[in-house]
Amino acid sequence: MNRPDVVIVGGGIAGASLGSLLAEQASVLILEMENRPGYHATGRSVAFWEETYGGPAIQPLTTASGPLLGAPDPDFHDGSFLSPRRTLHIGRAEDEEARDRLVASFAGKVDLRAVDPRAIVPGLRPDWVLGVLEASCQDIDVAALHQACLRRFRRLGGEVRTSTRLLAAQRAGGAWRLETSDGPVECGTIVNAAGAWADQVAQACGAAPVAITPMRRTVVQLRVPSLPSPDLPLVMDLRERFYFKPEGAGRLWLTPHDEEPSPPCDAAPEELAVAQAIARFESAVDWPIAAVEHRWAGLRSFAPDRVPVFGFDPDVPGFFWFAGQGGFGIQTAPAAALLGRALFAGEGLPKEIAGLDVQAYGPARFR
């Protein structure tokens, strides 16, 4: 592919999912700076689909993605990407306001039910008396989803070029000339799906950044032999100070729900965040920890209003934003890709995402 119609910068779930649709009608090249796609945020997800996660602005994309993840086209993937989990939001007596705010924010949109959390989670400490069950939450097979997108992309003729960085780009005569670490590339349109590097990519192309900020999120894998069951729900603190999810028998993934601004990088966990996670976990349940088996961190990248940025740049022709998905890019990927394709082609929304407020995602809101 010497001169593709479209170059997508970034091969994570954003670039792969959108690329798998754009390649139906155009020649598409994905540039991935790492030696394999999905090395950063996509490969470090805690891997769940939860309708309330991310708040009311994200919920429509998440809800629309549910059926597409649960029953994908057989030509795309054989079987579901989802498996049952549930979420239990928990709080102490003083967290009633947070509980009521959660329920009110999603009234009529997500089925939330008040429960006694101690009846669902054995070993929950007695001061955790508030519970809201979100039965729709499911685990996502992130690796299978990402690989299915890349597989479809390649089947349609798309090319993925790894270990290739975008260095600079200039537009002239209705086309782009890109300077990359693997040599020059020409194309008609650039798609910025670069995650934590999205603003840097914009600046390399002469577009104004939109202040997308990478935030570090720390996760630890604990060995907890007394974990009652691997089928327990994802447990989330109503005040968003921690959540944990069983990951097989006797193991779980835990985060202190940290959001520390970070430069774009190969994120590493901070010891203070690991200690905070364990302290908050131990304040919630009485399950002894046998070992901290693994720890990692990823970058969740947010626009200033914490809403994704999808659409053509209002000032730079041929430059398309597909970034700022925060920590919700995987659970919203199918719907976001459909939206991205519609915006890219200037078409109406397909039935799966009919009713979405397209203007809410446009980059013009920052100009």
Side-chain angles (χ1 to χ4, degrees):
M1 183 181 296
N2 297 319
R3 191 189 184 282
D5 300 318
V6 181
V7 168
I8 298 176
V9 184
I13 192 63
S17 60
L18 182 58
S20 73
L21 299 184
L22 296 184
E24 294 175 348
Q25 302 294 332
S27 58
V28 185
L29 168 66
I30 290 177
L31 299 182
E32 169 55 52
M33 68 179 182
E34 302 295 348
N35 61 11
R36 68 179 189 275
Y39 175 77
H40 291 284
T42 299
R44 307 181 194 198
S45 167
V46 182
F48 56 79
W49 175 87
E50 188 196 66
E51 291 180 276
T52 63
Y53 194 53
I58 303 300
Q59 174 266 320
L61 285 171
T62 304
T63 298
S65 293
L68 301 169
L69 291 166
D73 187 321
D75 289 338
F76 177 62
H77 181 71
D78 183 16
S80 176
F81 294 108
L82 301 177
S83 56
R85 173 57 62 191
R86 303 176 296 158
T87 298
L88 179 65
H89 304 268
I90 64 171
R92 297 184 172 98
E94 61 267 28
D95 297 330
E96 285 190 4
E97 183 178 344
R99 178 201 60 189
D100 295 346
R101 186 167 57 249
L102 172 71
V103 173
S105 295
F106 297 97
K109 300 174 182 177
V110 181
D111 184 14
L112 299 173
R113 181 163 52 93
V115 295
D116 178 358
R118 293 162 297 185
I120 298 175
V121 180
L124 193 65
R125 298 195 184 276
D127 53 333
W128 294 89
V129 296
L130 302 180
V132 176
L133 186 66
E134 184 175 345
S136 61
C137 175
Q138 302 193 61
D139 287 343
I140 304 176
D141 189 336
V142 176
L145 174 61
H146 188 220
Q147 289 304 311
C149 291
L150 290 172
R151 186 166 55 248
R152 185 175 194 273
F153 174 72
R154 291 185 172 109
R155 189 169 67 239
L156 291 169
E159 177 189 347
V160 180
R161 194 174 298 177
T162 58
S163 302
T164 304
R165 289 179 175 269
L166 173 67
L167 304 176
Q170 291 185 331
R171 187 168 177 84
W176 286 98
R177 180 178 175 84
L178 288 68
E179 298 299 331
T180 81
S181 58
D182 192 40
V185 177
E186 292 185 354
C187 69
T189 307
I190 295 174
V191 173
N192 182 2
W197 286 262
D199 271 0
Q200 290 187 1
V201 166
Q203 290 174 311
C205 298
V210 297
I212 289 178
T213 303
M215 301 281 194
R216 188 180 65 246
R217 170 62 52 88
T218 304
V219 184
V220 295
Q221 178 174 299
L222 302 180
R223 180 155 53 87
V224 184
S226 57
L227 180 71
S229 168
D231 297 322
L232 286 176
L234 166 69
V235 176
M236 280 198 163
D237 172 32
L238 281 165
R239 290 194 179 182
E240 300 184 347
R241 294 166 296 193
F242 66 87
Y243 65 77
F244 59 85
K245 185 185 83 166
E247 187 64 19
R251 286 177 171 81
L252 58 81
W253 287 351
L254 164 71
T255 174
H257 216 274
D258 51 332
E259 284 189 357
E260 291 296 324
S262 168
C265 65
D266 185 357
E270 296 285 342
E271 287 304 316
L272 177 59
V274 172
Q276 287 174 334
I278 292 172
R280 293 169 187 177
F281 172 75
E282 292 178 331
S283 75
V285 294
D286 64 2
W287 311 329
I289 298 170
V292 177
E293 294 187 322
H294 186 42
R295 64 196 76 192
W296 69 94
L299 297 180
R300 309 160 80 247
S301 300
F302 292 94
D305 58 4
R306 299 178 71 90
V307 175
V309 187
F310 301 147
F312 281 103
D313 191 280
D315 303 318
V316 180
F319 187 82
F320 189 89
W321 289 85
F322 201 67
Q325 291 93 333
F328 325 112
I330 295 168
Q331 69 175 30
T332 62
L338 288 174
L339 175 58
R341 178 175 64 178
L343 293 170
F344 190 93
E347 299 173 347
L349 299 182
K351 64 181 186 302
E352 294 90 345
I353 57 171
L356 283 181
D357 179 6
V358 173
Q359 299 303 318
Y361 305 99
R365 70 190 194 267
F366 299 111
R367 297 292 189 258

